Amino acid sequence: MSRNTEPCIGQAPSIYQLRLRPDAQPIAATSDQSVMQCAMQAGFEMRASCRNGTCRACIRRLLSGQVRYRIEWPGLSAEEKAEGYILPCVAHAQSDLILDAEV
Ligand code: FES
């Protein structure tokens, strides 16, 4: 049985802590915005191009936490997902998150 963790209409989104690197200060990540949108609102740049989950320019490794995707097929292989890679432009926080540094 799956649980829908989307906020209902009129319900406030959940707020989590997001670290863009393990040693970075946490910023707020809300469940109704992508990780990239949250980072940009806090004044941080992230590598990006399409912003719709296809070009992979934004690929980052998630060291800790859980995300959900706003699209059904984000451009990641099963192996990349298993290794913890995410696409921040279409990933939404479902817990506190720690990303690896950009390479
Ligand atoms: S910016 Fe293209 S996949 Fe994220």
Side-chain angles (χ1 to χ4, degrees), residues 16-34:
Y16 303 105
Q17 288 191 345
L18 164 63
R19 292 178 191 267
L20 297 174
R21 299 186 322 263
D23 60 345
Q25 291 293 315
I27 60 176
T30 57
S31 59
D32 63 338
Q33 293 186 300
S34 73

Side-chain angles (χ1 to χ4, degrees), residues 18 33-42 44-49 51 57-58 87-91:
L18 164 63
Q33 293 186 300
S34 73
V35 170
M36 181 175 288
Q37 288 173 313
C38 296
M40 292 175 68
Q41 283 187 351
F44 294 96
E45 292 290 325
M46 295 187 86
R47 195 178 311 145
S49 183
R51 299 181 191 220
C58 65
L87 296 175
C89 67
V90 288

